[in-house]
């Protein structure tokens, strides 16, 4: 069964789209090292991870952390689906 973002996850992400997020486990494919991505808004982090592969990054193990401790992280596949579903709505203030 293919993975699908839940309605609850979508609602939580849209509500938190302007909170700080950190992206980990992105690989710069040009030099095969972990890319150092700074803190950014959650909506921007989702956009970055969703589009990172065309920019020369490996996202297979990527994770986006946001919110308080215990908030579920987002994986690359979830970011791709959220970006496909909501696109620029994730970037709105």
């Amino acid at each position: 069964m293919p993975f699908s973002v839940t309605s609850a996850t979508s609602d939580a992400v849209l509500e938190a789209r302007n909170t700080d997020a950190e992206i980990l486990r992105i690989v710069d494919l040009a030099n095969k090292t972990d890319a150092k991505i700074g803190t950014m808004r959650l909506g921007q982090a989702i956009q970055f991870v969703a589009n990172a592969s065309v920019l020369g990054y490996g996202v297979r193990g990527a994770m986006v952390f946001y919110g308080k401790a215990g908030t579920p992280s987002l994986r690359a596949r979830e970011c791709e689906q959220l970006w496909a579903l909501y696109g620029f709505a994730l970037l709105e203030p």
Side-chain angles (χ1 to χ4, degrees):
M1 181 164 119
F3 174 82
S4 179
V5 172
T6 66
S7 174
T9 300
S10 297
D11 291 345
V13 166
L14 285 171
E15 186 174 313
R17 68 183 175 262
N18 290 309
T19 62
D20 285 343
E22 183 178 4
I23 304 170
L24 299 175
R25 298 174 61 182
I26 295 279
V27 177
D28 182 339
L29 297 176
N31 58 21
K32 308 285 191 242
T33 60
D34 285 334
K36 304 297 181 209
I37 310 294
T39 301
M40 63 184 72
R41 292 177 34 232
L42 177 59
Q44 292 171 317
I46 291 168
Q47 178 191 31
F48 180 85
V49 172
N51 296 302
S53 62
V54 298
L55 299 172
Y57 295 97
V59 296
R60 188 168 146 186
M63 303 200 51
V64 176
F65 294 94
Y66 69 100
K68 296 180 182 182
T71 301
S73 58
L74 298 172
R75 302 196 188 267
R77 182 85 171 128
E78 293 167 306
C79 291
E80 291 167 3
Q81 289 181 353
L82 287 163
W83 185 250
L85 288 169
Y86 300 105
F88 289 100
L90 291 165
L91 303 178
E92 293 177 353

